[in-house]
Amino acid sequence: MQRRVTGLTAAVTALGMAALLAGCGGSGGSDEVTLKLVAADYGDSAANTSKKYWGELVEKFEAEHPDIKVDVDVLPWTDVDRKVKEMVAADEAPDLAQIGAYADYAAQDKLYSADDVLSIPTQADFLAPLAKAGLVQRVQYGMPFAASTRLLFYNEKLFKSAGITPPENWNELQAAAKKLKARGVKYPYALPLGKEEAQAETYQWMLSGGGGYTDNVGSYDIDSKQNVQTFTWLKDELVGKGLTGPTPPGKLNRAEAFAAFARGEVGMLNGHPTLMKMAAKKDLKYGMVPMPGVNGKTQATMGVADWMMAFKQNGHRKEIGTFLDFVYSKENVLAFSREYDLLPVTTSASQDMAADKKDAKRLGGFLEELPTSQLYPVGKTSWAQVSVQIKEYIGKTVDPNGDPQAILSQIETKAAAEEAAQ
């Protein structure tokens, strides 16, 4: 497929060159184009706000491409998805949006595909699991922008005092949690199944038990035999034995669990790179290992990606492509990943990061997990609502009177209904 053709056919007619330029997105006969990008802020202070990253990147880009200007609006994660949704509803879609989900816009035929805007080398450089997660009906609309995986974090001081080593399977995890509990550790294993991000902890445990959200052909399979067995084990062997701390898992949010770990109150929990900074600020010594599986190392860990998407409304396909090829250069992908302790979404940048001793020391374990990671089924337009159901009900599976089979089947039924309604 030929990339970035303008879509104009025939020769210039009596309308004249000025009209042709106007049709290509220029104004007043000028051939200068301004792209509008709405992006999420990954910073946690004014010092590392994403406004700084985008400002420096755009300055370099515009110096090389004086005919293309880029106007970037950086918003907090609490606002950015809503803002883009409102803009699209008002027929004022940006040219580009860097947010959390793309499938709804793809289903409404509002997006360029990756084929439409990216050069072949740029598109081919995306890591395979991330590119696959960006597909809708086998066409890539979601372009991965940032990624992370999960590892099991453990408190080195607590493990040493309890005389235990990092677990490699569920039985060892339970045995370690029992020893931590015996020494008075508040949360031997922190199990955050609260509404903030329950879908993440849920998915990691499903994968470690050989299951997942979907089956091999991509259909929801939430109440699979493996998933039921996983949550039955959690209910009976961890929560039921008092190994997950004083807060019921259904009421424990990720942010609270991470903060407790940084305070030294958690023996072990699943975490992503952000937790490293939190622990370092508290001078907490910690280790990281792959998440244990039911009988050994988990075959696949959970991956998470945020997405870039290109809207068709303003017709700036060529200019969008030129800008995105610049955004996804190895240099720029590495700069963003290093600034925010995230994983590169391209093969070239990942290889460079893995070869760098400083990067490998911090993020090597996460990088190793990414090529075999499994992402949420974000290509399904139903996923947003299914995720809501998981956040609402999954914590009940491990309550004292919880019924994992019944609750997982309830979520599965609603998921199937949502999928059928699309």
Side-chain angles (χ1 to χ4, degrees):
M1 176 181 289
Q2 186 176 357
R3 309 295 175 87
R4 297 196 218 142
V5 293
T6 64
L8 298 176
T9 59
V12 178
T13 67
L15 291 174
M17 184 61 73
L20 176 60
L21 289 173
C24 288
S27 59
S30 170
D31 59 358
E32 181 180 290
V33 169
T34 298
L35 299 177
K36 175 68 175 180
L37 165 63
V38 178
D41 195 347
Y42 288 80
D44 56 13
S45 68
N48 71 344
T49 174
S50 294
K51 292 179 182 179
K52 180 180 178 182
Y53 171 81
W54 285 113
E56 293 174 352
L57 183 146
V58 167
E59 183 178 0
K60 290 188 294 182
F61 174 78
E62 291 180 348
E64 295 182 18
H65 304 274
D67 57 332
I68 306 175
K69 304 300 179 185
V70 185
D71 178 17
V72 185
D73 188 11
V74 176
L75 299 173
W77 273 109
T78 52
D79 300 327
V80 67
D81 288 276
R82 173 186 55 79
K83 177 64 174 178
V84 171
K85 185 176 182 179
E86 291 173 352
M87 293 174 72
V88 173
D91 289 328
E92 297 175 353
D95 297 286
L96 292 158
Q98 187 273 297
I99 52 178
Y102 65 87
D104 282 351
Y105 302 122
Q108 297 168 37
D109 194 30
K110 294 184 179 296
L111 301 181
Y112 287 121
S113 70
D115 284 345
D116 290 332
V117 294
L118 296 179
S119 66
I120 292 174
T122 297
Q123 188 177 3
D125 200 22
F126 288 134
L127 289 164
L130 305 180
K132 181 180 178 181
L135 301 179
V136 175
Q137 300 296 320
R138 299 184 181 181
V139 177
Q140 185 179 359
Y141 292 97
M143 293 168 276
F145 183 76
S148 69
T149 55
R150 298 293 193 269
L151 292 173
L152 184 74
F153 283 66
Y154 63 94
N155 183 309
E156 288 186 346
K157 180 179 179 180
L158 296 179
F159 265 55
K160 184 177 180 180
S161 65
I164 52 180
T165 57
E168 296 182 357
N169 57 54
W170 288 3
N171 286 338
E172 291 181 7
L173 187 148
Q174 184 201 52
K178 286 181 177 178
K179 291 183 178 180
L180 291 166
K181 180 183 179 182
R183 297 190 65 84
V185 175
K186 187 173 182 179
Y187 294 93
Y189 178 88
L191 183 66
L193 295 178
K195 294 180 182 179
E196 178 196 0
E197 203 185 29
Q199 80 281 4
E201 186 75 10
T202 295
Y203 197 26
Q204 184 59 70
W205 275 99
M206 284 180 170
L207 291 170
S208 70
Y213 283 129
T214 59
D215 59 21
N216 291 334
V217 296
S219 299
Y220 284 118
D221 199 21
I222 294 169
D223 62 348
S224 69
K225 178 181 178 181
Q226 294 92 333
N227 291 342
V228 172
Q229 290 175 340
T230 292
F231 279 88
T232 299
W233 187 88
L234 286 172
K235 175 181 179 291
D236 295 341
E237 303 301 329
L238 275 191
V239 181
K241 296 188 183 304
L243 303 177
T244 55
T247 305
K251 297 185 181 298
L252 182 66
N253 285 324
R254 177 196 57 83
E256 182 184 346
F258 277 20
F261 183 81
R263 293 193 301 267
E265 298 173 354
V266 175
M268 50 188 161
L269 82 170
N270 283 317
H272 52 67
T274 300
L275 187 53
M276 296 190 301
K277 280 188 175 181
M278 295 178 64
K281 288 179 180 179
K282 298 288 188 178
D283 293 324
L284 181 81
K285 302 299 182 183
Y286 62 90
M288 300 179 295
V289 294
M291 173 66 182
V294 57
N295 293 313
K297 180 183 175 182
T298 301
Q299 295 302 306
T301 191
M302 183 189 73
V304 178
D306 300 323
W307 304 95
M308 180 74 77
M309 60 215 69
F311 286 88
K312 297 192 293 185
Q313 180 174 327
N314 301 319
H316 295 152
R317 175 165 62 174
K318 180 179 178 181
E319 293 82 7
I320 288 171
T322 300
F323 180 62
L324 288 178
D325 279 347
F326 185 82
V327 168
Y328 284 109
S329 69
K330 181 171 67 174
E331 174 188 348
N332 289 326
V333 171
L334 280 171
F336 180 85
S337 301
R338 285 167 173 159
E339 177 66 30
Y340 299 108
D341 279 335
L342 292 166
L343 305 183
V345 297
T346 61
T347 300
S348 60
S350 293
Q351 290 173 344
D352 268 33
M353 183 172 276
D356 184 281
K357 291 183 178 180
K358 184 177 179 181
D359 288 334
K361 183 177 180 180
R362 294 184 306 112
L363 296 169
F366 297 100
L367 282 169
E368 290 175 6
E369 298 295 314
L370 190 55
T372 59
S373 64
Q374 298 290 322
L375 280 75
Y376 302 134
V378 290
K380 292 178 174 290
T381 55
S382 59
W383 170 245
Q385 289 304 314
V386 173
S387 178
V388 169
Q389 294 295 315
I390 293 165
K391 292 176 183 179
E392 181 71 27
Y393 295 108
I394 198 67
K396 300 180 186 301
T397 60
V398 297
D399 283 348
N401 297 319
D403 184 337
Q405 173 73 69
I407 295 169
L408 290 171
S409 294
Q410 173 187 338
I411 298 173
E412 168 70 23
T413 298
K414 292 185 177 181
E418 287 287 346
E419 183 71 0
Q422 302 302 316

